[in-house]
Amino acid sequence: DSGVTQTPKHLITATGQRVTLRCSPRSGDLSVYWYQQSLDQGLQFLIQYYNGEERAKGNILERFSAQQFPDLHSELNLSSLELGDSALYFCASSARGEYEQFFGPGTRLTVL
Amino acid sequence: EDQVTQSPEALRLQEGESSSLNCSYTVSGLRGLFWYRQDPGKGPEFLFTLYSAGEEKEKERLKATLTKKESFLHITAPKPEDSATYLCAVFAGNTPLVFGKGTRLSVIA
């Protein structure tokens, strides 16, 4: 158990819908990262927050957004969902950028 | 652009047959190289961090080494429970971790 929690574990929804994925980092970690992993792709970095502020952005679509709250939990919002958004979404946390990241169990999103 | 290439893509071993996985990287100013293990449908599990060339880390049947251009994950006398995808990632300062696509290891009893 990495100490990072993610909810929900599974999410099934329809095209055009909007969903919110939630992540709680390990106790004391200030950085939260979001990744997408599709069957034929490796881990794709989406976005990083550090202590409530956006720190880095990767290949995140404009339909996706995220935020980190004062209690350090983070939410990833995915809107106008398409079939291609079906994937595993992972959250990770770390104490500082150069330290190892610890991953949560992931949310499996299926868009029908 | 920072790049990480892992080889082979897939590796099938007999139980007890030792081997090595390779992670080669091109990055300016490496600050750290990380190895993770990922089981199907699960989150990556942290294994090792290596910071400088010549450094080695060990954990049970796994040993990770680092040179200036690549890292190796040596698996000694593997068991079926070592079957997983092994991911390598590099950190170069202000940019996020860059992951390789992984090596899918199967250990057959």
Side-chain angles (χ1 to χ4, degrees):
Chain A
D1 184 359
S2 67
V4 178
T5 61
Q6 289 186 248
T7 57
K9 196 168 182 178
H10 300 280
L11 201 46
I12 301 175
T13 188
T15 55
Q17 295 299 304
R18 172 190 168 95
V19 297
T20 297
L21 313 183
R22 182 188 168 105
C23 167
S24 292
R26 293 187 319 158
S27 177
D29 284 357
L30 299 179
S31 273
V32 169
Y33 309 79
W34 286 97
Y35 292 86
Q36 180 191 59
Q37 188 175 45
S38 305
L39 271 177
D40 56 348
Q41 298 283 333
L43 274 167
Q44 301 293 314
F45 169 72
L46 296 177
I47 197 164
Q48 177 199 357
Y49 278 83
Y50 178 82
N51 203 20
E53 295 191 2
E54 183 182 303
R55 176 62 65 92
K57 228 171 184 176
N59 299 319
I60 188 167
L61 300 171
E62 285 191 9
R63 300 183 286 110
F64 297 179
S65 64
Q67 54 184 328
Q68 187 179 28
F69 295 88
D71 67 353
L72 301 178
H73 91 271
S74 179
E75 292 181 357
L76 179 67
N77 301 296
L78 314 176
S79 61
S80 302
L81 285 168
E82 302 175 358
L83 296 177
D85 297 327
S86 296
L88 273 166
Y89 290 85
F90 290 107
C91 166
S93 73
S94 71
R96 288 197 339 237
E98 62 264 38
Y99 287 87
E100 51 270 7
Q101 294 179 20
F102 293 87
F103 283 77
T107 293
R108 181 176 294 279
L109 174 66
T110 302
V111 182
L112 301 176
Chain B
E1 183 180 324
D2 299 342
Q3 287 193 331
V4 178
T5 303
Q6 292 189 246
S7 61
E9 287 186 16
L11 182 62
R12 187 181 169 97
L13 299 173
Q14 290 295 125
E15 184 173 3
E17 179 186 2
S18 302
S19 189
S20 296
L21 282 52
N22 177 263
C23 170
S24 64
Y25 60 90
T26 53
V27 62
S28 299
L30 181 73
R31 298 276 298 277
L33 184 141
F34 306 88
W35 281 98
Y36 288 84
R37 169 196 169 121
Q38 186 176 25
D39 293 300
K42 304 282 181 68
E45 174 192 344
F46 170 76
L47 293 174
F48 304 109
T49 307
L50 301 167
Y51 292 106
S52 57
E55 190 174 358
E56 297 183 354
K57 294 266 179 80
E58 281 190 72
K59 180 180 178 180
E60 296 180 356
R61 294 176 294 281
L62 300 176
K63 182 167 100 172
T65 61
L66 181 64
T67 71
K68 288 187 177 179
K69 293 184 178 179
E70 58 192 348
S71 177
F72 292 94
L73 185 65
H74 307 277
I75 303 177
T76 303
K79 298 183 178 181
E81 54 262 41
D82 295 322
S83 298
T85 296
Y86 290 85
L87 299 170
C88 167
V90 297
F91 177 72
N94 292 327
T95 56
L97 283 187
V98 177
F99 279 86
K101 294 193 172 182
T103 293
R104 193 170 59 255
L105 174 67
S106 300
V107 182
I108 312 302

PDB file of all heavy atoms in Angstrom, chain B residues 9-24:
ATOM      1  N   GLU B   9      11.219  -5.304 -25.103  1.00  0.00           N
ATOM      2  CA  GLU B   9       9.819  -4.974 -24.792  1.00  0.00           C
ATOM      3  C   GLU B   9       9.202  -6.059 -23.944  1.00  0.00           C
ATOM      4  O   GLU B   9       8.385  -5.796 -23.059  1.00  0.00           O
ATOM      5  CB  GLU B   9       9.022  -4.822 -26.084  1.00  0.00           C
ATOM      6  CG  GLU B   9       9.333  -3.553 -26.855  1.00  0.00           C
ATOM      7  CD  GLU B   9       8.412  -3.376 -28.040  1.00  0.00           C
ATOM      8  OE1 GLU B   9       7.366  -4.044 -28.094  1.00  0.00           O
ATOM      9  OE2 GLU B   9       8.747  -2.576 -28.924  1.00  0.00           O
ATOM     10  N   ALA B  10       9.556  -7.294 -24.218  1.00  0.00           N
ATOM     11  CA  ALA B  10       9.029  -8.432 -23.474  1.00  0.00           C
ATOM     12  C   ALA B  10      10.143  -9.442 -23.281  1.00  0.00           C
ATOM     13  O   ALA B  10      11.026  -9.589 -24.132  1.00  0.00           O
ATOM     14  CB  ALA B  10       7.841  -9.058 -24.197  1.00  0.00           C
ATOM     15  N   LEU B  11      10.094 -10.136 -22.165  1.00  0.00           N
ATOM     16  CA  LEU B  11      11.125 -11.114 -21.820  1.00  0.00           C
ATOM     17  C   LEU B  11      10.463 -12.282 -21.111  1.00  0.00           C
ATOM     18  O   LEU B  11       9.714 -12.088 -20.161  1.00  0.00           O
ATOM     19  CB  LEU B  11      12.180 -10.474 -20.921  1.00  0.00           C
ATOM     20  CG  LEU B  11      13.363 -11.323 -20.485  1.00  0.00           C
ATOM     21  CD1 LEU B  11      14.176 -11.772 -21.688  1.00  0.00           C
ATOM     22  CD2 LEU B  11      14.246 -10.534 -19.525  1.00  0.00           C
ATOM     23  N   ARG B  12      10.777 -13.463 -21.598  1.00  0.00           N
ATOM     24  CA  ARG B  12      10.219 -14.674 -21.001  1.00  0.00           C
ATOM     25  C   ARG B  12      11.376 -15.494 -20.446  1.00  0.00           C
ATOM     26  O   ARG B  12      12.307 -15.821 -21.172  1.00  0.00           O
ATOM     27  CB  ARG B  12       9.466 -15.448 -22.079  1.00  0.00           C
ATOM     28  CG  ARG B  12       8.674 -16.640 -21.630  1.00  0.00           C
ATOM     29  CD  ARG B  12       8.031 -17.281 -22.859  1.00  0.00           C
ATOM     30  NE  ARG B  12       7.458 -18.573 -22.581  1.00  0.00           N
ATOM     31  CZ  ARG B  12       6.160 -18.779 -22.314  1.00  0.00           C
ATOM     32  NH1 ARG B  12       5.315 -17.770 -22.324  1.00  0.00           N
ATOM     33  NH2 ARG B  12       5.717 -19.992 -22.071  1.00  0.00           N
ATOM     34  N   LEU B  13      11.324 -15.790 -19.160  1.00  0.00           N
ATOM     35  CA  LEU B  13      12.394 -16.534 -18.498  1.00  0.00           C
ATOM     36  C   LEU B  13      11.846 -17.775 -17.820  1.00  0.00           C
ATOM     37  O   LEU B  13      10.703 -17.783 -17.359  1.00  0.00           O
ATOM     38  CB  LEU B  13      13.082 -15.657 -17.447  1.00  0.00           C
ATOM     39  CG  LEU B  13      13.763 -14.369 -17.928  1.00  0.00           C
ATOM     40  CD1 LEU B  13      14.243 -13.558 -16.716  1.00  0.00           C
ATOM     41  CD2 LEU B  13      14.926 -14.691 -18.837  1.00  0.00           C
ATOM     42  N   GLN B  14      12.704 -18.770 -17.722  1.00  0.00           N
ATOM     43  CA  GLN B  14      12.381 -19.922 -16.890  1.00  0.00           C
ATOM     44  C   GLN B  14      12.703 -19.551 -15.446  1.00  0.00           C
ATOM     45  O   GLN B  14      13.609 -18.747 -15.173  1.00  0.00           O
ATOM     46  CB  GLN B  14      13.208 -21.139 -17.290  1.00  0.00           C
ATOM     47  CG  GLN B  14      12.836 -21.736 -18.641  1.00  0.00           C
ATOM     48  CD  GLN B  14      11.425 -22.310 -18.627  1.00  0.00           C
ATOM     49  OE1 GLN B  14      10.584 -21.953 -19.442  1.00  0.00           O
ATOM     50  NE2 GLN B  14      11.169 -23.231 -17.712  1.00  0.00           N
ATOM     51  N   GLU B  15      11.994 -20.122 -14.510  1.00  0.00           N
ATOM     52  CA  GLU B  15      12.282 -19.884 -13.109  1.00  0.00           C
ATOM     53  C   GLU B  15      13.744 -20.215 -12.838  1.00  0.00           C
ATOM     54  O   GLU B  15      14.232 -21.273 -13.241  1.00  0.00           O
ATOM     55  CB  GLU B  15      11.374 -20.745 -12.242  1.00  0.00           C
ATOM     56  CG  GLU B  15      11.547 -20.481 -10.748  1.00  0.00           C
ATOM     57  CD  GLU B  15      10.512 -21.223  -9.913  1.00  0.00           C
ATOM     58  OE1 GLU B  15       9.698 -21.992 -10.487  1.00  0.00           O
ATOM     59  OE2 GLU B  15      10.510 -21.031  -8.692  1.00  0.00           O
ATOM     60  N   GLY B  16      14.454 -19.278 -12.187  1.00  0.00           N
ATOM     61  CA  GLY B  16      15.859 -19.486 -11.889  1.00  0.00           C
ATOM     62  C   GLY B  16      16.821 -18.978 -12.950  1.00  0.00           C
ATOM     63  O   GLY B  16      18.035 -18.943 -12.710  1.00  0.00           O
ATOM     64  N   GLU B  17      16.298 -18.557 -14.097  1.00  0.00           N
ATOM     65  CA  GLU B  17      17.151 -18.089 -15.198  1.00  0.00           C
ATOM     66  C   GLU B  17      17.374 -16.580 -15.059  1.00  0.00           C
ATOM     67  O   GLU B  17      16.501 -15.770 -15.356  1.00  0.00           O
ATOM     68  CB  GLU B  17      16.474 -18.406 -16.529  1.00  0.00           C
ATOM     69  CG  GLU B  17      17.252 -17.957 -17.754  1.00  0.00           C
ATOM     70  CD  GLU B  17      16.478 -18.160 -19.045  1.00  0.00           C
ATOM     71  OE1 GLU B  17      15.308 -18.616 -18.996  1.00  0.00           O
ATOM     72  OE2 GLU B  17      17.027 -17.837 -20.119  1.00  0.00           O
ATOM     73  N   SER B  18      18.558 -16.191 -14.653  1.00  0.00           N
ATOM     74  CA  SER B  18      18.862 -14.780 -14.407  1.00  0.00           C
ATOM     75  C   SER B  18      18.972 -14.009 -15.717  1.00  0.00           C
ATOM     76  O   SER B  18      19.366 -14.555 -16.750  1.00  0.00           O
ATOM     77  CB  SER B  18      20.166 -14.652 -13.624  1.00  0.00           C
ATOM     78  OG  SER B  18      20.078 -15.346 -12.398  1.00  0.00           O
ATOM     79  N   SER B  19      18.666 -12.712 -15.669  1.00  0.00           N
ATOM     80  CA  SER B  19      18.744 -11.862 -16.851  1.00  0.00           C
ATOM     81  C   SER B  19      18.787 -10.396 -16.438  1.00  0.00           C
ATOM     82  O   SER B  19      18.757 -10.069 -15.250  1.00  0.00           O
ATOM     83  CB  SER B  19      17.546 -12.122 -17.765  1.00  0.00           C
ATOM     84  OG  SER B  19      17.706 -11.455 -19.007  1.00  0.00           O
ATOM     85  N   SER B  20      18.872  -9.531 -17.436  1.00  0.00           N
ATOM     86  CA  SER B  20      18.918  -8.092 -17.178  1.00  0.00           C
ATOM     87  C   SER B  20      17.976  -7.343 -18.106  1.00  0.00           C
ATOM     88  O   SER B  20      17.808  -7.713 -19.277  1.00  0.00           O
ATOM     89  CB  SER B  20      20.336  -7.544 -17.396  1.00  0.00           C
ATOM     90  OG  SER B  20      21.239  -8.088 -16.477  1.00  0.00           O
ATOM     91  N   LEU B  21      17.387  -6.291 -17.571  1.00  0.00           N
ATOM     92  CA  LEU B  21      16.546  -5.384 -18.338  1.00  0.00           C
ATOM     93  C   LEU B  21      17.331  -4.082 -18.503  1.00  0.00           C
ATOM     94  O   LEU B  21      18.029  -3.650 -17.581  1.00  0.00           O
ATOM     95  CB  LEU B  21      15.248  -5.085 -17.594  1.00  0.00           C
ATOM     96  CG  LEU B  21      14.120  -6.098 -17.603  1.00  0.00           C
ATOM     97  CD1 LEU B  21      14.574  -7.468 -17.180  1.00  0.00           C
ATOM     98  CD2 LEU B  21      12.988  -5.613 -16.721  1.00  0.00           C
ATOM     99  N   ASN B  22      17.176  -3.468 -19.683  1.00  0.00           N
ATOM    100  CA  ASN B  22      17.948  -2.267 -19.984  1.00  0.00           C
ATOM    101  C   ASN B  22      17.068  -1.032 -20.071  1.00  0.00           C
ATOM    102  O   ASN B  22      15.934  -1.095 -20.555  1.00  0.00           O
ATOM    103  CB  ASN B  22      18.693  -2.444 -21.299  1.00  0.00           C
ATOM    104  CG  ASN B  22      19.456  -1.197 -21.689  1.00  0.00           C
ATOM    105  OD1 ASN B  22      18.990  -0.385 -22.476  1.00  0.00           O
ATOM    106  ND2 ASN B  22      20.642  -1.034 -21.118  1.00  0.00           N
ATOM    107  N   CYS B  23      17.597   0.077 -19.585  1.00  0.00           N
ATOM    108  CA  CYS B  23      16.927   1.374 -19.710  1.00  0.00           C
ATOM    109  C   CYS B  23      17.992   2.370 -20.176  1.00  0.00           C
ATOM    110  O   CYS B  23      18.892   2.708 -19.404  1.00  0.00           O
ATOM    111  CB  CYS B  23      16.348   1.796 -18.370  1.00  0.00           C
ATOM    112  SG  CYS B  23      15.758   3.503 -18.313  1.00  0.00           S
ATOM    113  N   SER B  24      17.885   2.812 -21.404  1.00  0.00           N
ATOM    114  CA  SER B  24      18.833   3.823 -21.883  1.00  0.00           C
ATOM    115  C   SER B  24      18.131   5.166 -21.954  1.00  0.00           C
ATOM    116  O   SER B  24      16.934   5.243 -22.231  1.00  0.00           O
ATOM    117  CB  SER B  24      19.393   3.430 -23.255  1.00  0.00           C
ATOM    118  OG  SER B  24      18.367   3.391 -24.220  1.00  0.00           O
TER     119      SER B  24
END
